[in-house]
Amino acid sequence: MEEFLAARFKEEEALALEALGEHGYGASPWSFDEKNGGFDFGFPNEHFNVPIGKFDPRMQHMARHDPRKVLREVAAKREVVEASWSADGERAAGLGQAIWLLATAYATHPDYKSIQDS
């Protein structure tokens, strides 16, 4: 289970870092404007302001996936997995279920069935 989750977290982290420009694209500002319902992002030679409007939930959903937020979420998930083990190497009470619940977010991944069967 931990290997499956670690691989998914690594994939999410890599995409977020690339979106931020950590791989040669330069720092990418990314911000969501709650008041005007738009978001800004850019690359060294390009900058985009996308007015998505307050009434388009699909675009608002995409805009809220700031790569920095994704990185914070990945870090938090890694800490949950790490905290699930007690000092004596046993699963801490209740956190084993939390790990399975984290994995359900990746139910459409091709490797998910293999962890369900284990």
Side-chain angles (χ1 to χ4, degrees):
M1 172 65 68
E2 286 80 8
E3 290 175 14
F4 173 81
L5 285 172
R8 303 301 70 77
F9 299 162
K10 188 174 182 177
E11 291 167 356
E12 289 180 2
E13 181 179 56
L15 286 171
L17 288 171
E18 189 166 351
L20 279 173
E22 299 295 321
H23 296 287
Y25 300 109
S28 173
W30 185 290
S31 63
F32 180 72
D33 182 349
E34 291 278 350
K35 184 177 179 184
N36 297 314
F39 71 102
D40 292 306
F41 65 98
F43 300 101
N45 298 320
E46 300 175 276
H47 182 81
F48 304 93
N49 177 274
V50 182
I52 59 176
K54 296 180 180 182
F55 302 105
D56 188 342
R58 295 167 299 172
M59 292 299 289
Q60 286 187 23
H61 174 76
M62 288 188 293
R64 290 175 189 269
H65 282 80
D66 174 347
R68 288 175 187 90
K69 178 183 179 210
V70 171
L71 292 173
R72 290 190 303 271
E73 289 174 351
V74 166
K77 290 173 188 177
R78 284 180 173 145
E79 287 190 36
V80 168
V81 172
E82 183 65 29
S84 72
W85 294 100
S86 64
D88 60 1
E90 296 294 319
R91 280 270 185 221
L95 287 177
Q97 180 66 21
I99 301 308
W100 277 102
L101 292 171
L102 283 175
T104 63
Y106 306 99
T108 59
H109 191 278
D111 295 337
Y112 183 75
K113 183 166 176 18
S114 67
I115 64 159
Q116 269 190 314
D117 296 339
S118 62

